[in-house]
Structure formats: C-alpha cells, structure tokens
C-alpha cells in the first residue's frame, strides 16, 4: 500500500508515505516552512512544527497507535457525535472518524509552497453498523507557516441528518497551569465537570486551575493561548464553528488514563473548534458543511 501511495501521491523531498508508529501508514511532509505527520488512521495530524519553532501539537508518549483505537494527541477528528452517544452505550466515544482508516484523495502544493492533503471517509460496513446515513467526509489539511484543517461533511442520503463535529486539537504548552486562553471572556459554557451546569466566564482570559471540561457556547474565535513557559502564543482561528471546547484532565484524572502518562497533562491543553449539542449541524440531502481551524504560532517575550 505504501508503494502505491508514494507512486500516486508522493512528491520527492516534500511528501512521502511510510509506516509510522505501530506500523500505521502516515504522510510525512517536509518543506522549508514546516514539517508534519498525518496518519491515514483518523486523518490524524499528530505532528506539526513550523520552521524555527518547537512542535505545536502535543502527542502522548503513551498513545496507542492501533487500528480501532484513538490516538492521544495531535488533532483527533470527532464525527458524527461528540463524547458518548446518547442512548448507545457501546458506541465509541467521539464517533468513528478518529478510529477509521481514511483514504488519500489528493496531494498538492501551491506556488508558495503550502502542501495540501485531502483525505476522505465514506460509509463502510463498520460505520453503517454504528450510524445509518450515507455521507462523505473530507479532511483538507494544509501545511505551511500555518496549519489549516477543514472538515467537509456532505449528506449523500435521501433524508436530512444531523451530526456533531470537533477538531479536538491538543496544543503543546510548556505549563498548562500558567497558560491562559483569550477569546472566551464573558462567554457562557456548559461545565461537563459539574453536571453540564450552564455558567458564564468573567472578563479575564481563561486560566485553568484544575480539571477542565467546558463546552463554550456561541464562540467565533480567534483564541490565543498564551504560554509564558515557552514564551509563545498559539493562535486558533476557526470558521463555521459555533462552539469551542476546552479540556484538560489535570492531575488525578490523567493518572487514571493509561494512554497519557505521569505529568503529561501539564504539557497539553485542548482547544477544540466544534459544533456540538444544540450547535449540531443539520444537512439536507445533497448539502455540505465545512468547518475549518487554522493554527499558528505568535512569538511572545522570552520564556519565563
Ligand atoms: C473532550 C471531552 O472533548 O474530550 C471530554 O469534552 C473528554 O469529556 C475528552 O474526556 C477526551 O475524550 P477521549 O474520548 O479522547 O478520552
């Protein structure tokens, strides 16, 4: 399979396909502007590093890389439901997209050097057993001085369907206890650590002080994660996303997560572009919806 992928989509010196961790196939992208890894498993970007910067995405050293299991870190694609699926206790959390094998549909490079990969997921016996509608989902990943991921969902059924989605970005931070997130000031949220109670954030950038699992309502972005420990800001822009989810399991909960490892929670902060809950998207037959996230690094003062 790797030979065929390289023959059809490889670009010498820029994009090649190889067996990555756990033997799973991945695209390795390397340009003067950035490097990245994209697994076909989940259309999952696990690594992105713009030139001259430290990696932008957190990837757990204990992540599983196995068919049917989710990768812990990078940018998991959540579709077509978020979290546990109501009424279906045996359905996989966060949907099947992140644990499915996607197909490469195209690789390109623009004149300014930005590399694009298009991966697609269509119904299979495994997905139909979990979710009946006919659909096509495409992930368009663009790698350059910024990382852009667009998730395009098309309804190929004869009837309308609704879905939830998230680009569950694990940002790599120097110290989550000192990081803060802007763009959420005064915004209402559902607190998943407190029975989904609806609350409203104050007027200051959000600083995490413990386990955090919040679905912010009606957000447009951009969000900037200030990370004094690494002396940088990570800027998350989003389009066609009405929710932002912020998650960090903190000390106790992460200790119980086999695929995270001791102390790793300090180095990660999930800021997710999403459409979930009341923000779920409904598509008429033949209609499409595209949600996009763009991630870039802004330098701050020296690390403190
Ligand atoms: C977040 C959810 O998006 O993902 C959390 O809001 C969840 O509730 C977290 O714990 C991680 O989910 P998972 O399935 O990857 O362990």
């Amino acid at each position: 399979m790797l030979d065929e992928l390289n023959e059809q989509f490889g670009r010498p010196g820029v994009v090649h396909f190889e067996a990555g961790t756990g033997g799973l196939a991945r695209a390795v992208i390397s340009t003067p502007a950035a490097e990245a890894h994209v697994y076909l498993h989940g259309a999952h970007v696990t690594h992105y590093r713009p030139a001259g910067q430290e990696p932008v995405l957190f990837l757990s050293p204990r992540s599983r890389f196995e068919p049917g299991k989710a990768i812990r870190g990078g940018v998991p694609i959540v579709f077509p439901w978020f979290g546990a699926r109501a009424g279906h206790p045996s359905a996989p959390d966060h949907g099947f997209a992140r644990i499915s094998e996607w197909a490469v549909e195209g690789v390109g490079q623009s004149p300014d050097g930005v590399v694009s990969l298009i991966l697609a997921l269509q119904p299979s016996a495994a997905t139909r057993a979990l979710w009946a509608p006919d659909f096509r989902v495409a992930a368009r990943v663009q790698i350059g001085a910024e990382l852009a991921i667009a998730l395009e969902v098309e309804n190929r059924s004869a009837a309308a369907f609704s879905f939830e989605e998230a680009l569950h970005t694990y940002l790599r931070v120097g110290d989550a206890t000192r990081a803060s997130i802007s763009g959420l000031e005064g915004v209402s949220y559902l607190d998943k650590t407190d029975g989904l109670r609806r609350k409203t954030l104050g007027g200051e950038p959000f600083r995490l002080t413990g386990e955090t699992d919040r679905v912010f309502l009606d957000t447009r972005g951009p969000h900037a994660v200030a990370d004094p420990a690494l002396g940088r800001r990570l800027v998350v822009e989003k389009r066609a996303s009405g929710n932002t989810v912020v998650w960090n399991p903190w000390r106790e909960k992460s200790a119980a997560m086999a695929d995270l490892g001791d102390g790793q929670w300090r180095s990660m902060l999930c800021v997710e572009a999403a459409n979930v809950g009341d923000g779920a998207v409904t598509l008429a037959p033949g209609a499409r919806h595209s949600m996009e996230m763009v991630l870039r690094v802004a330098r701050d003062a020296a690390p403190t």
Side-chain angles (χ1 to χ4, degrees):
M1 181 183 86
L2 292 171
D3 288 347
E4 283 160 29
L5 284 169
N6 278 313
E7 201 168 305
Q8 200 177 350
F9 299 111
R11 291 183 164 238
V14 180
V15 181
H16 75 275
F17 293 84
E18 65 177 27
T21 309
L24 300 181
R26 71 180 177 195
V28 175
I29 297 94
S30 176
T31 73
E35 60 182 39
H37 296 162
V38 184
Y39 280 77
L40 276 57
H41 179 69
H44 200 128
V45 181
T46 56
H47 171 64
Y48 168 65
R49 190 177 70 78
Q53 307 285 343
E54 294 198 44
V56 167
L57 300 174
F58 169 86
L59 177 62
S60 170
R62 291 203 194 154
S63 175
R64 288 180 290 207
F65 281 82
E66 290 168 38
K69 304 284 185 204
I71 295 170
R72 178 72 64 199
V75 188
I77 292 179
V78 172
F79 171 87
W81 57 84
F82 177 78
R85 188 178 179 204
H88 296 77
S90 62
D93 283 356
H94 286 333
F96 48 74
R98 67 175 179 167
I99 54 171
S100 298
E101 184 83 0
W102 293 51
V104 181
E105 291 209 335
V107 173
Q109 190 171 24
S110 65
D112 61 358
V114 174
V115 171
S116 307
L117 267 81
I118 299 172
L119 295 103
L121 180 67
Q122 304 206 47
S124 62
T127 69
R128 278 187 218 281
L130 292 164
W131 201 61
D134 266 333
F135 65 89
R136 176 178 180 276
V137 187
R140 184 185 302 267
V141 181
Q142 289 183 290
I143 296 133
E146 303 177 332
L147 171 69
I149 305 178
L151 191 63
E152 185 178 278
V153 180
E154 180 184 344
N155 183 353
R156 293 189 165 177
S157 313
F161 66 66
S162 297
F163 65 91
E164 296 176 296
E165 60 183 345
L167 292 164
H168 192 310
T169 308
Y170 285 73
L171 299 173
R172 176 176 174 272
V173 292
D175 185 351
T177 68
R178 293 169 59 209
S180 61
I181 310 171
S182 68
L184 299 168
E185 297 84 348
V187 175
S188 295
Y189 62 93
L190 304 178
D191 189 346
K192 291 179 76 176
T193 68
D194 189 12
L196 286 173
R197 285 251 293 275
R198 188 179 170 126
K199 305 175 181 176
T200 301
L201 204 68
E204 300 293 315
F206 179 32
R207 286 193 68 155
L208 284 68
T209 53
E211 185 192 348
T212 302
D213 193 356
R214 301 183 179 188
V215 178
F216 286 88
L217 308 169
D218 202 10
T219 59
R220 301 292 146 199
H223 305 298
V225 176
D227 178 11
L230 290 184
R232 69 180 184 182
R233 262 175 309 129
L234 300 177
V235 179
V236 181
E237 288 173 17
K238 55 195 203 119
R239 279 186 270 285
S241 154
N243 301 116
T244 301
V245 181
V246 178
W247 179 65
N248 183 303
W250 225 248
R251 194 173 284 107
E252 287 75 25
K253 195 156 193 180
S254 67
M257 294 171 66
D259 62 352
L260 201 50
D262 283 351
Q264 292 293 320
W265 62 273
R266 265 185 193 273
S267 309
M268 56 158 275
L269 184 48
C270 289
V271 177
E272 312 170 29
N275 289 306
V276 300
D278 290 347
V281 179
T282 299
L283 280 184
R288 293 177 189 205
H289 179 271
S290 183
M291 175 178 81
E292 188 178 11
M293 178 203 67
V294 180
L295 189 54
R296 64 186 156 80
V297 181
R299 270 270 136 218
D300 265 356
T304 57

